[in-house]
Amino acid sequence: MKGFDTNLRLQPLFSPQLSNGFLPKRLTNLNFRSSSSSSSSSPAMLKLFSSSSASRVHHLTPAIRAGPRSVESPLFKALSQLTGLNQRSTTSLGHRVFFCSDSASEAEAAAAEAEAKVAESDAEGADSNSSSAIVSTNPRPEDCLTVLALPVPHRPLFPGFYMPIYVKDPKVLAALQESRRRQAPYAGAFLLKDAPSTDSSSSAADTEKNINELKGKDLLERLHEVGTLAQISSIQGDQVILVGHRRLRITEMVSEEPLTVKVDHLKDKPFDMDDDVIKATSFEVISTLRDVLKTSSLWRDHVQTYTQHIGDFTYPRLADFGAAICGANRHQAQEVLEELDVHKRLRMTLELMKKEMEISKIQETIAKAIEEKISGEQRRYLLNEQLKAIKKELGVETDDKSALSGKFKERIEPNKEKIPVHILQVIEEELTKLQLLEASSSEFNVTRNYLDWLTILPWGNYSDENFDVVRAQQILDEDHYGLSDVKERILEFIAVGRLRGTSQGKIICLSGPPGVGKTSIGRSIARALNRKFFRFSVGGLGDVAEIKGHRRTYVGAMPGKMVQCLKSVGTANPLVLIDEIDKLGKGHAGDPASALLELLDPEQNANFLDHYLDVTIDLSKVLFVCTANVIDSIPNPLLDRMEVISIAGYITDEKVHIARDYLEKNARGDCGIKPEQVDVSDAALLSLIENYCREAGVRNLQKQIEKIYRKIALKLVREGAVPEEPAVTTDVEEAEIVAKLDVESPEKENHVSAAKEEAQTKQIAVEKVMIDESNLADYVGKPVFHAEKIYEPTPVGVVMGLAWTSMGGSTLYIETTVVEEGEGKGGLSTTGQLGDVMKESTQIAHTVARKILLEKEPENLFFANSKLHLHVPAGATPKDGPSAGCTMITSLLSLAMNKPVREDLAMTGEVTLTGRILPIGGVKEKTIAARRSQVKTIIFPEANRRDFEELAENVKEGLDVHFVDDYGKIFELAFGYDKQQD
C-alpha cells in the first residue's frame, strides 16, 4: 500500500528494514513509473505490505484492486495515457497482487494465498466505487461517530492519501494502540489553526512544541471543524501513519484527555455527472495536469500510484488529488477540503494547479538560465586549459608560476647590487616557496602579491638632487611671495647637502592659519630640490594600519602609506608632505600619532618596519614636511621630533604683491582673458583686500579674483569682444595656403591680403574693462568687513587691544562704563563671552587699577563708590587669554579719571598684581592687525622686543613701538600725552 507525504513531498515514509506490516529490503518492489521518470530523482512511491505471521494476514495484507469502472472511466483513461501507463486487461486488474518474503516458508505463502482468495471473493460482491487499497476492518468507517482528534500541523489530510504524524503525548499514543487492538483503528485528523500571535519566522520545532502543549478545550479551539477520518495504518514508536477515508465535521467534545470528539460524516453535495460545466472544468484540470506532467516527474509518480491504490478518478477524487499534490499553502488546501460542492471544489483545484503550472515555468526558466551560465563557464575554462596546454607543448608560453618568477627576477636584476642582502634573501625564499605552491591555493595569491610589492620598491634608487642654492632660490620665489623663514630653511638644507656631498632626511613642520601656502610650498620645495613629491593627508586618520600596514594574513591586506609612496614615486628619497598632522584621529584600531613616532624619528626611520613587508626599509633620506594649523593639538612626543616653522598671515602689501604676481595671472589664464582686455587698479585690489579678504591667508582673495575675471569673461562674450575662433582660424589658414601655392601671382597675393584684412576686421574692438574702487561692488558684491577702528576719536573708558586668532591677528576694544554710583557700591561685572583666564584678568585689572588710582589721586574714591560694567565686543565671538590685562587696566583708569587715552594707540600684555608686564605671543599677527587698523603707536612687553625686531622691515615700517616691563610706563604713554606735546 502506498501513501503520500504531502508535507515532505515524496520523501520515504518508513524505514525499509521495518517488519511491522511492511516489506524488508529484500522484498520485491512494485514500481509503476513511466519510462521518462528517473528512479534516482525520486524515492519509491509504492510501499508493499506482507504478513509477518499467519495470524495477522487477515488485516495486514493489502488488497490492491481496481473495479470494473476503473478501466472504463474516461478520466482514468486520459490520465493513463498522459502518464504512459501500459494498458492492462480487465482480468489482470481484477486480480489481487500478492507479495511474500524470499525467506518465508511455503506454509506461510500458502496461507497468504488462501486468505487472498477469500478476500477476492468478498471484493467481487462489493461496490466498484469503494474499490481502494485501504485495508478493511470489522467496524465500517461510517460507523465511527466518536473518534480521537489528532492535530495536523502543516497541511490537511485528503481522502486516499497517507500522512505520517508524530504523537508525543503517551496517553494519545496508548489510545491509538488500543483502538488498533479493538479492530477499530480510526481517528480524526484535523488541521491546526494559526496561533493568535504566530510569527512567520517560527521554526517547525517550535510549532511542534506548541502542539504538544495544547490539551482539551484549548486544543479543540485550535482545530478546524472539518477534517478527515483516518485509518491508523501503523505505529512505529511515536510515528503514526494515517490513511485518509472521508470528510468529518466536529460536533462536540466527548473527553479532554485524550481529546475525543463526536463527528458527522460529510458527503459531497449531489451533482449531475452529465453537466457540461463540470465536464469542462474536469477536462481543464486534466489538461493542466497534462502540461504539468510534461515538466515534473514527481507528479507522474503521484498519478500512477494513486490510480493503482485508490481506483478510478471520479470528479470528487480528481479535485482532491489535484489539491493534495500541488504546492498550495495550508489555508488554501483546507478550503478545498471543506468545500462539499464538487463543481466549486474543481474550480478551486484548477486555480491552484494553474498557479503550480506558472511556478513550474518559472522554475524551468531559472534552471535553464543557470545551466546555460554554468555550461558557458565550463566551456570557457576547458578551452583556456586546452590553449595553455597547446602553448606549453609548442614552447610559446610557460606556465603561470614560471612566468611570474621570471617577471620578479627581471625586476630585481638591474638593481640587484643596490638591494640589501636581507631583502634579497627574503625574495629568494619567497620565489622558492612560490614554485612549490599550487596556483589555485590562497597561499599562492598571498605570496605572489608579497613578491610583487617586494620587487617593485626602489631599493637603493635615489634621484639626483639639486645643490645649486641660487637656482633653488629662483624656483622658490617663482611660486611663492614672502615665506622667508621657510625659504631660508630650505636653502640651509641644500647648503649642508652641498658641503657634505649628500643630504639627509629632515622633519619640518609648517604651522599657520589656513590659506598661507603651507601645502603648496611643499611642492615648490620638491621642485627646488629636484625630488619626487608625494602628499597624503592624515586628517581624521584613526587606523594604525594606514601608517604601518596590515598583516599579510588578513584578507585584502596592503602595505602602509610610506610603502605605497615609495612604489608611486620610484625613488627612495622623495619629499613626503604629511598634511593636517594636527587633526589626527584616534579610534579602536590604535593611535596613529604613536605610529608616526617611528616614521618621523631620524634615529629610527632608517630601519622602519612595515607590518605587511615585515622587512626594514631605510627612510633616512626622505624629507618629511608636515603642515598644521595649530601645534597645540599635536602630541608632545611627536612635536618634539619636528622642527616647527611658524608662518604668520600676510600683511596688505604682501597680499597686493601676491595678487599681482600670482593670483591675477592664474585667474586670467583660467578664464581665457588677455592682459590687454582688462585692467584692475591698485585701489581696487587694496579695497578688495581690506573690505573683502581680511583673513591671514590668500585663499579667499584667490576666490574673489577668480569671481571678478569670470564676470569679465561673461561681459566680453556678451559684447562680442571674442570672435568665433574657428572661422578666423580657417580664413587665416586658407590665406596662408594660397600664399604657399602661388606667391608669384599678383591676383592671388591680393586675395591673400584681402583674406587677412577680413580676418582682422572680424575682431571687434571693445573698450578695455576697467576695475577700480568705484565699480568693484558690481563684481564682488557689498563689502564684507568694515573698519575695525569703530571709534574716532576714542572716548573715555575705551581702549584698543590686540588679539591673536587662528585666522591671524585682530584688534580688540575694551569698553568700561558706570552702572551705578553710591557710597560703598563699588563692584565690577563683565560680558562678551570671556573665558576663565580672561575673567581672572578682569579681577586682576580691577585690583591693579584701584591701587594705581590710589597712588595717583588719593582723594578719588571712584572705584569704591561706583559699580562698573566691562564689555569686550563682539559678544558672539568667544575670547580667552591673559594678554588683555594691561588694556583692561587702562580702560578702568580712563573711566575713573574721566580722561580718554591718546589717539592711534593699541596695546597688549599680561599684567601681574604688582604691575609687572609679562610677554605674550603672536607678535607678528598683532602687528599686522594694528597696521590694518591704521594704528601708529603700539605697546608691547619688553620681553617681546626680540620677536618684533625679527619681523620684516615692511611690517615694522611707520610704526611707533614702545616696549615696557611695568604698567607705570603704560600709564605715562596712555595718559601723559599732553606733557609730551608741551
Side-chain angles (χ1 to χ4, degrees):
M1 185 179 296
K2 170 61 185 172
F4 301 94
D5 181 5
T6 58
N7 299 318
L8 302 179
R9 300 304 301 267
L10 303 181
Q11 295 296 324
L13 302 179
F14 318 103
S15 173
Q17 297 179 351
L18 302 176
S19 60
N20 188 10
F22 301 95
L23 288 180
K25 282 185 176 180
R26 297 178 60 191
L27 294 185
T28 304
N29 186 12
L30 183 63
N31 190 355
F32 290 96
R33 296 183 183 177
S34 64
S35 59
S36 62
S37 63
S38 174
S39 60
S40 61
S41 61
S42 61
M45 301 303 302
L46 190 58
K47 299 295 182 181
L48 305 179
F49 286 51
S50 71
S51 170
S52 60
S53 63
S55 60
R56 298 177 61 189
V57 171
H58 66 280
H59 72 277
L60 289 178
T61 304
I64 303 177
R65 65 191 179 189
R69 293 179 58 186
S70 62
V71 178
E72 298 172 359
S73 171
L75 298 178
F76 178 69
K77 288 181 179 180
L79 289 177
S80 298
Q81 294 174 359
L82 292 176
T83 57
L85 291 176
N86 296 326
Q87 296 294 332
R88 294 181 296 272
S89 62
T90 307
T91 57
S92 64
L93 289 173
H95 290 84
R96 283 182 184 268
V97 182
F98 301 98
F99 306 92
C100 62
S101 173
D102 295 339
S103 61
S105 62
E106 295 180 0
E108 291 176 342
E113 185 176 359
E115 179 66 18
K117 289 181 179 181
V118 175
E120 183 178 1
S121 61
D122 295 338
E124 290 176 356
D127 186 6
S128 60
N129 290 332
S130 63
S131 62
S132 69
I134 299 171
V135 178
S136 60
T137 55
N138 191 10
R140 295 178 301 173
E142 55 268 21
D143 296 335
C144 297
L145 302 178
T146 302
V147 294
L148 287 172
L150 300 179
V152 179
H154 305 296
R155 284 174 61 89
L157 173 64
F158 280 88
F161 284 83
Y162 278 69
M163 177 179 289
I165 65 171
Y166 292 89
V167 180
K168 302 296 183 181
D169 192 343
K171 293 183 180 179
V172 177
L173 195 60
L176 293 175
Q177 293 173 345
E178 181 64 24
S179 297
R180 292 198 66 195
R181 283 194 295 269
R182 291 189 290 105
Q183 303 299 318
Y186 292 101
F190 300 93
L191 180 66
L192 200 66
K193 298 178 181 178
D194 292 334
S197 59
T198 300
D199 186 6
S200 59
S201 62
S202 59
S203 60
D206 296 336
T207 305
E208 192 72 23
K209 182 178 179 182
N210 295 335
I211 295 174
N212 297 330
E213 293 175 355
L214 296 175
K215 305 291 182 183
K217 292 183 179 180
D218 294 337
L219 178 58
L220 182 63
E221 292 176 356
R222 289 284 305 279
L223 297 178
H224 284 275
E225 291 185 0
V226 177
T228 307
L229 179 66
Q231 179 180 337
I232 306 169
S233 177
S234 68
I235 300 176
Q236 298 289 335
D238 59 353
Q239 186 188 57
V240 180
I241 306 300
L242 303 179
V243 186
H245 274 261
R246 58 179 65 194
R247 288 169 169 77
L248 298 176
R249 176 178 282 117
I250 298 175
T251 57
E252 60 178 310
M253 184 175 67
V254 178
S255 62
E256 293 189 3
E257 289 193 10
L259 181 61
T260 307
V261 295
K262 285 186 178 181
V263 295
D264 284 342
H265 292 259
L266 302 179
K267 295 183 180 181
D268 296 333
K269 293 181 180 180
F271 64 94
D272 186 6
M273 295 186 64
D274 297 330
D275 184 75
D276 293 338
V277 177
I278 294 180
K279 285 182 179 180
T281 306
S282 63
F283 281 117
E284 182 61 25
V285 172
I286 295 173
S287 176
T288 307
L289 272 174
R290 180 191 297 114
D291 296 336
V292 176
L293 291 175
K294 293 178 181 178
T295 60
S296 177
S297 60
L298 302 179
W299 283 45
R300 289 195 291 269
D301 294 338
H302 274 302
V303 175
Q304 294 172 5
T305 312
Y306 190 84
T307 55
Q308 290 295 321
H309 286 250
I310 304 304
D312 57 343
F313 269 100
T314 61
Y315 294 136
R317 289 180 181 176
L318 181 64
D320 289 345
F321 175 80
I325 66 174
C326 70
N329 60 43
R330 51 188 297 186
H331 302 293
Q332 293 173 333
Q334 180 65 25
E335 291 177 1
V336 175
L337 182 67
E338 294 178 357
E339 184 58 58
L340 300 181
D341 190 315
V342 176
H343 178 232
K344 291 183 179 179
R345 194 190 306 168
L346 282 170
R347 288 181 60 86
M348 295 169 67
T349 300
L350 181 60
E351 291 180 5
L352 298 180
M353 294 184 67
K354 289 291 186 182
K355 292 179 181 178
E356 190 76 15
M357 186 61 194
E358 293 300 322
I359 294 174
S360 298
K361 291 180 180 179
I362 297 174
Q363 178 183 356
E364 184 179 359
T365 303
I366 295 174
K368 185 177 180 181
I370 297 298
E371 184 178 356
E372 290 178 355
K373 181 179 179 181
I374 294 175
S375 62
E377 291 177 354
Q378 289 177 343
R379 181 173 178 271
R380 192 178 301 108
Y381 175 78
L382 181 61
L383 292 175
N384 286 331
E385 291 298 321
Q386 291 176 351
L387 181 62
K388 290 179 182 179
I390 293 171
K391 287 184 177 181
K392 189 174 181 180
E393 289 294 329
L394 295 176
V396 177
E397 183 180 297
T398 58
D399 58 354
D400 293 340
K401 291 191 287 187
S402 301
L404 284 173
S405 299
K407 182 181 73 172
F408 295 144
K409 289 179 181 179
E410 288 177 3
R411 284 183 182 176
I412 64 175
E413 194 63 34
N415 300 322
K416 196 169 186 179
E417 297 179 356
K418 299 179 182 180
I419 301 177
V421 178
H422 69 282
I423 303 295
L424 280 175
Q425 184 179 357
V426 173
I427 293 176
E428 293 296 335
E429 291 175 356
E430 293 297 323
L431 285 173
T432 305
K433 180 181 177 182
L434 186 70
Q435 294 296 328
L436 300 176
L437 292 173
E438 290 292 334
S440 59
S441 66
S442 59
E443 186 68 19
F444 180 86
N445 292 326
V446 173
T447 305
R448 181 188 62 186
N449 293 335
Y450 182 47
L451 280 169
D452 190 20
W453 280 100
L454 276 178
T455 56
I456 206 170
L457 292 181
W459 303 105
N461 287 340
Y462 300 101
S463 59
D464 296 331
E465 292 192 76
N466 171 37
F467 293 123
D468 189 350
V469 177
V470 177
R471 178 174 175 272
Q473 179 76 51
Q474 292 176 351
I475 293 174
L476 293 174
D477 291 339
E478 285 177 5
D479 297 338
H480 290 80
Y481 181 85
L483 301 178
S484 58
D485 295 344
V486 182
K487 294 178 180 178
E488 190 73 17
R489 180 64 186 89
I490 299 304
L491 295 178
E492 293 171 2
F493 179 82
I494 295 175
V496 171
R498 182 172 183 176
L499 294 177
R500 292 185 56 189
T502 181
S503 62
Q504 293 293 323
K506 291 293 180 181
I507 296 94
I508 300 173
C509 179
L510 306 177
S511 67
V516 296
K518 298 186 300 297
T519 304
S520 60
I521 192 66
R523 193 179 300 274
S524 298
I525 294 172
R527 194 162 69 93
L529 296 175
N530 195 28
R531 290 194 177 197
K532 297 288 186 178
F533 178 76
F534 184 84
R535 172 194 171 272
F536 70 94
S537 176
V538 295
L541 187 69
D543 191 356
V544 174
E546 291 291 330
I547 307 296
K548 301 277 288 181
H550 302 85
R551 301 289 180 184
R552 292 198 304 274
T553 54
Y554 296 155
V555 177
M558 289 187 65
K561 284 291 185 182
M562 276 312 304
V563 177
Q564 297 179 35
C565 161
L566 296 179
K567 176 186 176 182
S568 176
V569 299
T571 60
N573 63 336
L575 186 146
V576 179
L577 180 70
I578 305 178
D579 219 353
E580 310 294 350
I581 198 170
D582 59 328
K583 301 175 182 62
L584 274 171
K586 186 175 182 180
H588 68 281
D591 185 10
S594 301
L596 284 174
L597 293 177
E598 180 185 0
L599 181 65
L600 300 181
D601 191 342
E603 300 297 328
Q604 299 182 39
N605 59 14
N607 296 306
F608 178 74
L609 182 65
D610 186 88
H611 290 162
Y612 182 87
L613 295 183
D614 205 22
V615 293
T616 57
I617 308 172
D618 184 10
L619 300 178
S620 61
K621 304 292 185 182
V622 178
L623 175 60
F624 292 97
V625 177
C626 306
T627 67
N629 295 124
V630 183
I631 62 174
D632 297 338
S633 58
I634 303 176
N636 288 332
L638 186 59
L639 186 63
D640 183 60
R641 287 163 167 79
M642 297 186 292
E643 181 181 349
V644 180
I645 301 177
S646 298
I647 303 178
Y650 299 104
I651 62 175
T652 303
D653 295 341
E654 292 175 333
K655 287 186 178 181
V656 171
H657 281 286
I658 293 172
R660 285 294 188 196
D661 298 338
Y662 303 96
L663 303 183
E664 260 197 295
K665 290 180 180 179
N666 295 335
R668 274 201 306 266
D670 293 341
C671 296
I673 299 175
K674 298 178 181 179
E676 60 271 13
Q677 291 179 310
V678 63
D679 183 15
V680 181
S681 65
D682 293 338
L685 269 183
L686 189 62
S687 176
L688 181 67
I689 294 170
E690 292 291 341
N691 300 328
Y692 297 86
C693 310
R694 204 176 274 182
E695 65 281 344
V698 293
R699 184 172 293 144
N700 191 37
L701 178 61
Q702 179 184 3
K703 294 178 182 177
Q704 296 295 338
I705 292 176
E706 290 175 351
K707 184 177 181 180
I708 292 174
Y709 276 91
R710 286 197 305 269
K711 289 187 177 296
I712 293 174
L714 178 61
K715 183 177 181 180
L716 293 175
V717 172
R718 283 178 173 173
E719 293 179 358
V722 181
E724 294 184 2
E725 195 66 28
V728 175
T729 303
T730 303
D731 293 341
V732 174
E733 288 178 353
E734 288 178 356
E736 291 178 353
I737 292 172
V738 171
K740 290 179 181 178
L741 290 177
D742 192 357
V743 295
E744 296 179 356
S745 175
E747 296 180 358
K748 292 187 177 180
E749 286 182 359
N750 295 333
H751 178 72
V752 170
S753 59
K756 288 184 177 180
E757 291 177 1
E758 183 181 357
Q760 291 175 358
T761 55
K762 288 183 180 180
Q763 297 183 354
I764 304 174
V766 178
E767 293 184 3
K768 179 186 290 187
V769 179
M770 300 293 296
I771 306 296
D772 53 19
E773 193 174 1
S774 60
N775 63 351
L776 181 64
D778 298 336
Y779 293 90
V780 292
K782 295 181 179 180
V784 178
F785 298 101
H786 300 282
E788 290 185 359
K789 193 173 182 180
I790 59 178
Y791 294 107
E792 190 70 37
T794 306
V796 174
V798 178
V799 181
M800 180 187 291
L802 298 174
W804 177 91
T805 67
S806 60
M807 301 292 292
S810 66
T811 56
L812 195 71
Y813 280 96
I814 305 293
E815 302 175 343
T816 309
T817 186
V818 179
V819 178
E820 185 180 2
E821 290 184 337
E823 187 176 354
K825 290 189 176 182
L828 179 66
S829 62
T830 59
T831 55
Q833 283 207 55
L834 307 184
D836 294 337
V837 177
M838 206 165 182
K839 287 179 181 178
E840 291 180 355
S841 295
T842 60
Q843 299 298 324
I844 296 173
H846 190 230
T847 302
V848 175
R850 295 184 67 171
K851 176 184 174 183
I852 293 174
L853 184 64
L854 187 63
E855 294 176 354
K856 301 293 182 182
E857 300 179 4
E859 71 282 355
N860 192 342
L861 302 178
F862 177 80
F863 289 112
N865 300 327
S866 301
K867 185 177 182 180
L868 307 178
H869 182 186
L870 187 146
H871 177 66
V872 184
T877 305
K879 310 167 193 68
D880 202 2
S883 63
C886 64
T887 313
M888 292 178 180
I889 296 174
T890 307
S891 175
L892 291 169
L893 290 175
S894 172
L895 185 65
M897 296 186 300
N898 195 24
K899 186 177 183 180
V901 299
R902 65 183 295 174
E903 296 180 3
D904 300 331
L905 174 68
M907 64 186 69
T908 179
E910 181 181 355
V911 181
T912 67
L913 279 174
T914 59
R916 301 292 296 177
I917 308 298
L918 301 182
I920 46 86
V923 173
K924 182 177 181 181
E925 289 84 353
K926 293 179 179 180
T927 305
I928 293 172
R931 286 180 59 89
R932 189 167 55 238
S933 297
Q934 299 177 355
V935 173
K936 302 300 182 182
T937 306
I938 304 176
I939 299 176
F940 279 130
E942 179 67 32
N944 292 110
R945 182 187 293 270
R946 180 178 58 86
D947 299 328
F948 181 81
E949 291 177 352
E950 291 178 354
L951 298 180
E953 292 298 328
N954 60 346
V955 177
K956 298 185 292 182
E957 184 182 359
L959 294 177
D960 182 17
V961 181
H962 300 271
F963 298 96
V964 299
D965 56 2
D966 187 81
Y967 185 79
K969 297 180 181 179
I970 298 178
F971 186 87
E972 294 297 332
L973 290 170
F975 300 106
Y977 50 89
D978 292 334
K979 295 180 180 180
Q980 293 178 0
Q981 290 178 358
D982 293 341

